[in-house]
Amino acid sequence: MKRIVTIQDVSCFGKCSITVALPIISAMGIECAIIPTSVLSTHTGGFEGFTFRDLSDDIPKIQEHWKKYALKFDMIYTGYLGSHSQIDYVMDFAREFRNDKNLLFVDPAMGDKGRLYTGFDASFPPHMARLCAMADIVVPNLTEASFMLGIEYKEQYDESHIKDVLKRLCALGAKIAVLTGVSYEKSTQGAVLYDSEKDEFYSYFTENIPTSFHGTGDTFASVFAGALCQGLSKEEALKVAVDFTVECIKATLPDAENHAYGTKFELCLPSLINKLNK
Ligand code: PXL
């Protein structure tokens, strides 16, 4: 059985980060250990007055304890991190638990639609870029990539811009970069991957549903990470992750006004299991 450790916050209500990653990775038949980096009453998108308990200091203590048991992970998957020190601790953790067989998978969750999430300032993306530089795989959206690279965020772009951004992300140090939420025309969206060792691009596009829900980046990242960990090829993993994310959006659409805070991904888990068994 494969084993992933995912390091991100617990948003108690709102369906993102660990409350998405844990059920998805478990449903994919992978053991999922967690390191909660902070506990928030809700995620920071659309809720006012959320609580934030910083658990940064627990990260090195958990690391020391796990070292005694020589725990091994097939993948270290990091998501939303709430402070500079959390990024530093996570980099330490990765140095300790990385080996020549496992993968460091980084989702630099910190913004969308050209803006950083509440709580982050301009000093945060360059710090996150240092974690991305260590990674085997990074999966930002175009907002996060643009902030990390210090380039203008474009609403409208073409394929050459996306390819250029992907190459620059790999030039930071990541082996493979994926841009999520790419849409060259209104009717389609998907993800584009660049493998810097092979100098190859892969993309997968499907229908674009013009309603956005919170947490879909976390859904994509969890499925993509799980699928790679289960040994699917990069192309297959991309397709499964994009298709599943769209399925979750479609399952939520009839009740969209009550569910902007997160998708009804739970209803789609049986279908994810079927996709993997095919
Ligand atoms: O979905 C990314 C995410 C994760 N965790 C927290 C967030 C967000 C996005 O806003 O606020 C706490």
Side-chain angles (χ1 to χ4, degrees):
M1 193 173 187
K2 299 283 187 180
R3 181 188 290 152
I4 293 179
V5 55
T6 190
I7 311 180
Q8 36 187 331
D9 69 283
V10 174
S11 287
C12 297
F13 182 85
K15 297 207 266 193
C16 66
S17 28
I18 283 182
T19 64
V20 166
L22 182 54
I24 286 178
I25 292 167
S26 301
M28 295 176 91
I30 300 167
E31 180 179 340
C32 186
I34 60 169
I35 300 187
T37 51
S38 45
V39 177
L40 295 84
S41 50
T42 64
H43 60 62
T44 65
F47 295 100
E48 300 267 314
F50 50 83
T51 68
F52 182 92
R53 178 166 302 274
D54 191 349
L55 300 178
S56 301
D57 294 344
D58 287 34
I59 302 171
K61 293 181 192 156
I62 293 169
Q63 178 175 327
E64 279 312 298
H65 188 216
W66 286 4
K67 237 169 90 178
K68 293 200 182 101
Y69 286 87
L71 297 186
K72 298 259 184 303
F73 301 98
D74 298 289
M75 184 183 274
I76 301 163
Y77 157 29
T78 74
Y80 178 100
L81 299 171
S83 67
H84 289 243
S85 69
Q86 286 185 5
I87 296 175
D88 293 337
Y89 282 136
V90 166
M91 283 165 55
D92 273 351
F93 180 91
R95 284 185 204 105
E96 183 74 50
F97 282 89
R98 230 169 155 192
N99 55 46
D100 52 6
K101 291 195 203 74
N102 65 13
L103 295 173
L104 175 60
F105 182 107
V106 176
D107 178 6
M110 58 188 163
D112 201 8
K113 300 188 177 80
R115 298 181 54 184
L116 293 174
Y117 295 140
T118 304
F120 295 129
D121 63 25
S123 68
F124 195 74
H127 212 88
M128 184 63 98
R130 296 176 55 220
L131 175 61
C132 287
M134 293 172 64
D136 294 290
I137 303 153
V138 295
V139 295
N141 57 33
L142 189 56
T143 300
E144 292 153 350
S146 304
F147 271 104
M148 285 195 293
L149 296 170
I151 59 173
E152 183 201 350
Y153 167 76
K154 294 187 179 183
E155 279 292 333
Q156 309 287 334
Y157 46 79
D158 57 11
E159 194 177 341
S160 72
H161 181 63
I162 294 299
K163 288 186 165 174
D164 178 52
V165 170
L166 285 165
K167 285 197 166 183
R168 289 193 201 206
L169 285 167
C170 287
L172 289 176
K175 293 197 187 81
I176 292 173
V178 178
L179 274 175
T180 59
V182 176
S183 179
Y184 297 131
E185 52 189 26
K186 270 203 178 120
S187 59
T188 60
Q189 63 73 37
V192 186
L193 179 153
Y194 178 59
D195 182 334
S196 64
E197 285 176 341
K198 294 192 174 152
D199 192 25
E200 280 175 355
F201 290 94
Y202 310 99
S203 52
Y204 179 72
F205 289 93
T206 184
E207 67 188 292
N208 185 27
I209 300 162
T211 309
S212 63
F213 294 95
H214 213 276
T216 48
D218 302 351
T219 304
F220 171 87
S222 302
V223 177
F224 188 55
L228 291 175
C229 197
Q230 286 293 37
L232 269 70
S233 69
K234 292 183 282 278
E235 296 94 314
E236 287 167 331
L238 210 57
K239 176 173 168 26
V240 170
V242 171
D243 282 345
F244 180 73
T245 308
V246 170
E247 212 174 309
C248 296
I249 292 171
K250 281 187 171 167
T252 320
L253 266 184
D255 199 11
E257 71 267 34
N258 298 317
H259 268 268
Y261 68 88
T263 73
K264 300 187 180 183
F265 73 92
E266 299 88 342
L267 301 177
C268 306
L269 291 175
S271 147
L272 176 61
I273 296 167
N274 285 337
K275 280 190 184 45
L276 291 175
N277 288 337
K278 266 191 201 144

